[in-house]
Amino acid sequence: SQTIHQWPATLVQPVGSPLSLECTVEGTSNPNLYWYRQAAGRGLQLLFYSVGIGQISSEVPQNLSASRPQDRQFILSSKKLLLSDSGFYLCAWSALAGYTQYFGPGTRLTVL
Amino acid sequence: RKEVEQDPGPFNVPEGATVAFNCTYSNSASQSFFWYRQDCRKEPKLLMSVYSSGNEDGRFTAQLNRASQYISLLIRDSKLSDSATYLCVVAPGNKLVFGAGTILRVKS
């Protein structure tokens, strides 16, 4: 069966510091991968999605970037965090675009 | 106008009650529809897909009305464990668009 991992689970970072969040999927090949952010009390905002290694589509202009160095690895990064980057970051995978997505446990990021 | 709109609630219901949520979507080209459930501070989890003819999974029934562009979720015999946020999800293309969710609180 497929599983999706994210780490760290919780992170507290100062404004201006860098960020690297990692997501890995097991039990499937060539998944579509997604990064979402959920601000407190808000809906899910799609940040990036990837249909293959090295292929990244950005949904929202911001100071974040994503990379997919391996088939089942998806990384979210920032060079300098802003206060507004605080939120719950969720990675998801799907077998096909536009079909059911399965989420990892998420990373709760607080920028102080 | 938001792509997917839901009443945020909260819906406060007693155990055993029947409760219904509606959701409207703006893109008439949407092809796939889902309900997800999200517990407090947890990731969303798929509750059920929604099919054109309507579908049922135990106490949960989902309906789709393409002409009016709305989706509904009916929960019968509510349990305390049903307390969560229910997310309406629509796929207008190769991505999913999530509603902000409806909060359900089931009280004993």
Side-chain angles (χ1 to χ4, degrees):
Chain A
S1 64
Q2 300 86 6
T3 55
I4 178 168
H5 304 278
Q6 284 187 248
W7 61 91
T10 306
L11 193 59
V12 180
Q13 291 285 99
V15 169
S17 63
L19 174 73
S20 181
L21 303 181
E22 189 164 343
C23 168
T24 58
V25 182
E26 295 177 357
T28 186
S29 296
N30 197 31
N32 292 309
L33 296 172
Y34 308 84
W35 278 112
Y36 291 88
R37 177 171 59 203
Q38 187 174 38
R42 305 286 294 277
L44 273 73
Q45 179 186 33
L46 179 62
L47 301 175
F48 301 95
Y49 71 94
S50 171
V51 299
I53 296 173
Q55 300 178 64
I56 308 294
S57 296
S58 174
E59 289 294 300
V60 183
Q62 60 218 327
N63 68 322
L64 299 172
S65 62
S67 62
R68 185 170 177 175
Q70 299 180 44
D71 181 44
R72 288 170 287 180
Q73 184 184 30
F74 204 21
I75 297 172
L76 182 70
S77 304
S78 174
K79 292 182 180 177
K80 287 186 177 182
L81 284 169
L82 307 172
L83 286 173
S84 57
D85 291 325
S86 293
F88 191 34
Y89 287 82
L90 291 154
C91 180
W93 76 272
S94 69
L96 293 170
Y99 285 79
T100 306
Q101 292 180 13
Y102 301 94
F103 287 84
T107 295
R108 199 160 297 278
L109 171 66
T110 303
V111 182
L112 301 174
Chain B
R1 181 185 175 187
K2 293 181 182 177
E3 286 192 78
V4 179
E5 295 208 57
Q6 296 182 251
D7 181 344
F11 285 62
N12 294 299
V13 303
E15 275 187 289
T18 296
V19 61
F21 308 137
N22 289 329
C23 156
T24 58
Y25 61 95
S26 60
N27 192 327
S28 59
S30 299
Q31 293 298 319
S32 301
F33 308 88
F34 311 91
W35 283 101
Y36 277 70
R37 169 197 169 125
Q38 186 173 23
D39 292 305
C40 188
R41 300 180 70 81
K42 297 287 189 180
E43 75 273 24
K45 294 185 178 178
L46 178 68
L47 179 65
M48 59 196 302
S49 300
V50 185
Y51 303 118
S52 296
S53 55
N55 49 300
E56 188 175 306
D57 183 1
R59 297 182 293 108
F60 299 85
T61 301
Q63 297 276 355
L64 169 64
N65 185 319
R66 286 186 183 270
S68 301
Q69 294 180 210
Y70 81 78
I71 307 155
S72 64
L73 177 68
L74 181 77
I75 305 175
R76 292 181 299 278
D77 188 23
S78 298
K79 312 291 185 189
L80 292 175
S81 57
D82 293 333
S83 297
T85 298
Y86 290 83
L87 308 177
C88 176
V89 185
V90 173
N94 60 356
K95 292 169 280 187
L96 299 189
V97 179
F98 288 76
T102 297
I103 297 171
L104 172 65
R105 297 179 184 147
V106 182
K107 311 269 186 190
S108 59

